[in-house]
Amino acid sequence: MTFKCPICKKEVPPGAPDFPFCSERCRIIDLGNWASEKYKVSVPGAPEPSREDDE
Ligand SMILES: [Zn+2]
């Protein structure tokens, strides 16, 4: 049975440290998808929505 990373659709091996993501990077990107307005997450290479620094 395989699981696919919800971010990049790459197969994630069972027991991966960042399961269900393939890597910490994808885990952080997923966080950023819903929290980008609240948390400043800097991920090299990740698409960044417009940043606002007044909160
Ligand atoms: Zn991934």
Side-chain angles (χ1 to χ4, degrees):
M1 184 173 176
T2 58
F3 199 95
K4 289 201 168 110
C5 174
I7 301 302
C8 68
K9 314 302 183 194
K10 186 173 147 185
E11 281 189 13
V12 181
D18 294 296
F19 192 87
F21 305 103
C22 71
S23 64
E24 183 180 19
R25 180 172 170 272
C26 284
R27 184 162 55 83
I28 291 171
I29 290 171
D30 184 69
L31 272 175
N33 284 346
W34 59 266
S36 60
E37 294 299 318
K38 290 179 183 168
Y39 301 98
K40 303 296 184 292
V41 182
S42 179
V43 183
E48 282 191 34
S50 59
R51 288 195 291 177
E52 297 181 46
D53 292 323
D54 57 4
E55 188 169 273

